Amino acid sequence: MNNLEIHTIESLKFEDLVSEYKERLYWHIRRMVISHDDADDVLQNTFIKVYKNLHNFNGESQVYTWLYRIATNESLTFIKKRKRTTHISNEEVQESLVTNLTSDPYFNGDDAQLKLQQAIDTLPTKQKQVFVMKYFDELQYNEISEILGTSEGALKASYHHAVKKITEYVTAH
Amino acid sequence: MKSKKENNKQQFNIPLGYFESFENRLLTELKFQELFPNKNDGFSVPAQYFEKVEQVILNQNKPKGKLVEYNFKTIAATVAAIAAVLLVLFNVVNPIEKEMQFDSLSITSLENYFEEEERVQDYLSAEELSTIENSTSIFDNETVSEELIYEYVDQDIVQSSLLDQ
């Protein structure tokens, strides 16, 4: 169990949450929005929302899954807003970001990692979320279920489909 | 006696088609791990980013004094209170009219009031009515025609008194 999942409501301090969770939330957000600058904005928005709603946290979920849910929602809101302001589809924006990863100063992956990002980019939003949470963030299905509000059975099916599609994409390219 | 293996078969169930899909899922996972032996996404961050961003977030969310939440009721009550105070002050500084006295009423306005008021006798005593009548022209002989008098006085009483004569 994560050492911070034993936090009680009474012991929640905003400074501690930022200190403990900023990196994990950043990487989750970064894998969703791709660009570092965008991830930086979304991370700050996430903690602003956490700060404003800290008194509303009722302890029914783990602290981490609560934070993760806010970060996930903020990422999706950001992606939707970006679609409205740029007047081009999310898929086109994401494709452009992934295509330009080679020129991104904060991407230093090799060819395999670049292909992996391109393959992830082809996935539907839900499958992408499940894959990122399971594979990179190493969350348990019950935690992902709590964050996304989807049954564990459906999550397992989504993850399997995602892995299969990625494997097929990388093999074909 | 049933073997342990048979017992397990009866006690536990599995999802429909589990063994058929298991092989397929296993091979997919093995192929994926072969392609990506290291779990790395290739992303990086600027130097000292996490130290800096923590400070930025904490500075953004520092308490800035007590926040007062306004709503429509609060605003309406405040505006009403200010308006009431201003109205009182205005009346004190510029009184519009003094307390109304009977003496200050004009004769014409009194006459108009009584002409329009049909049941004035319900509200005034006989003495008061007499005083008013003497002070106004509404009951002057010149203004009261004979027809009006006949209408006012019960016709039967007049006729019977004439017959008696």
Side-chain angles (χ1 to χ4, degrees):
Chain A
M1 179 186 279
N2 185 301
N3 62 332
L4 274 157
E5 286 176 353
I6 55 171
H7 268 247
T8 59
I9 303 168
E10 293 75 22
S11 69
L12 283 181
K13 281 186 182 173
F14 182 67
E15 293 83 355
D16 295 340
L17 293 178
V18 177
S19 173
E20 200 69 33
Y21 292 112
K22 62 180 186 293
E23 286 195 44
R24 291 184 75 179
L25 292 180
Y26 171 85
W27 289 117
H28 171 62
I29 294 166
R30 177 79 185 270
R31 287 166 192 136
M32 296 296 293
V33 300
I34 306 295
S35 141
H36 164 72
D37 290 337
D38 292 343
D40 182 48
D41 286 343
V42 176
L43 181 69
Q44 291 182 36
N45 289 340
T46 298
F47 276 112
I48 287 170
K49 196 148 276 185
V50 168
Y51 180 79
K52 288 179 177 173
N53 290 283
L54 198 56
H55 62 284
N56 290 330
F57 178 68
N58 56 19
E60 281 178 9
S61 59
Q62 299 284 0
V63 175
Y64 184 61
T65 52
W66 178 63
L67 295 173
Y68 224 101
R69 195 183 310 132
I70 295 174
T72 303
N73 290 338
E74 283 299 309
S75 301
L76 292 176
T77 303
F78 174 84
I79 291 168
K80 283 177 190 167
K81 202 180 284 179
R82 185 169 61 185
K83 180 186 173 185
R84 281 202 300 272
T85 51
T86 56
H87 300 293
I88 52 175
S89 71
N90 282 334
E91 291 73 22
E92 286 172 310
V93 175
Q94 291 287 111
E95 195 181 331
S96 164
L97 286 167
V98 173
T99 306
N100 295 323
L101 268 178
T102 45
S103 57
D104 188 329
Y106 302 117
F107 180 79
N108 48 20
D110 54 22
D111 282 349
Q113 286 155 354
L114 182 62
K115 275 189 181 173
L116 176 60
Q117 289 304 323
Q118 289 168 341
I120 293 170
D121 191 49
T122 63
L123 300 173
T125 307
K126 196 65 177 267
Q127 279 181 22
K128 183 179 176 180
Q129 283 179 315
V130 175
F131 178 79
V132 166
M133 288 182 188
K134 181 70 186 155
Y135 182 70
F136 287 117
D137 300 335
E138 297 179 333
L139 292 177
Q140 300 298 311
Y141 281 120
N142 65 336
E143 292 173 316
I144 302 172
S145 172
E146 200 175 312
I147 294 161
L148 297 179
T150 309
S151 71
E152 289 186 37
L155 291 173
K156 285 176 186 174
S158 285
Y159 180 74
H160 172 68
H161 285 306
V163 170
K164 196 173 181 182
K165 281 183 189 175
I166 291 169
T167 306
E168 286 170 358
Y169 178 92
V170 174
T171 307
H173 292 80
Chain B
M1 189 178 169
K2 287 180 182 176
S3 70
K4 194 178 176 184
K5 201 174 177 182
E6 285 173 324
N7 228 356
N8 282 345
K9 267 189 181 179
Q10 287 177 343
Q11 284 176 343
F12 299 105
N13 291 321
I14 53 168
L16 197 67
Y18 170 75
F19 288 115
E20 289 77 7
S21 67
F22 175 78
E23 195 176 325
N24 180 31
R25 285 187 290 111
L26 181 66
L27 288 174
T28 303
E29 189 65 34
L30 286 172
K31 178 80 176 166
F32 181 82
Q33 287 187 14
E34 194 181 311
L35 286 168
F36 304 103
N38 301 314
K39 200 178 282 189
N40 191 332
D41 57 17
F43 292 126
S44 63
V45 292
Q48 307 292 308
Y49 169 71
F50 289 115
E51 288 77 5
K52 288 174 188 169
V53 79
E54 181 170 342
Q55 211 48 52
V56 170
I57 290 167
L58 293 177
N59 287 338
Q60 275 178 342
N61 295 290
K62 269 184 181 171
K64 292 165 184 149
K66 192 181 175 184
L67 289 174
V68 179
E69 288 187 10
Y70 289 102
N71 58 25
F72 178 74
K73 281 184 178 175
T74 311
I75 294 167
T78 308
V79 170
I82 292 168
V85 169
L86 288 175
L87 191 65
V88 169
L89 285 173
F90 184 75
N91 283 331
V92 168
V93 176
N94 297 305
I96 296 169
E97 56 185 5
K98 292 176 182 173
E99 192 181 343
M100 194 65 79
Q101 300 286 336
F102 185 80
D103 293 343
S104 64
L105 291 173
S106 69
I107 296 298
T108 312
S109 60
L110 277 172
E111 286 176 358
N112 290 338
Y113 173 78
F114 289 121
E115 279 175 351
E116 290 169 10
E117 183 58 63
E118 293 175 359
R119 295 176 59 83
V120 69
Q121 62 272 24
D122 292 346
Y123 302 99
L124 297 170
S125 66
E127 190 180 355
E128 286 169 330
L129 277 171
S130 173
T131 307
I132 293 166
E133 283 170 12
N134 294 333
S135 306
T136 65
S137 59
I138 191 170
F139 298 111
D140 286 355
N141 291 335
E142 291 173 7
T143 58
V144 180
S145 67
E146 286 185 359
E147 287 172 7
L148 187 60
I149 293 168
Y150 278 118
E151 279 179 18
Y152 184 72
V153 180
D154 189 336
Q155 297 294 311
D156 293 336
I157 294 171
V158 173
Q159 283 174 1
S160 63
S161 64
L162 287 172
L163 286 172
D164 289 344
Q165 289 175 359

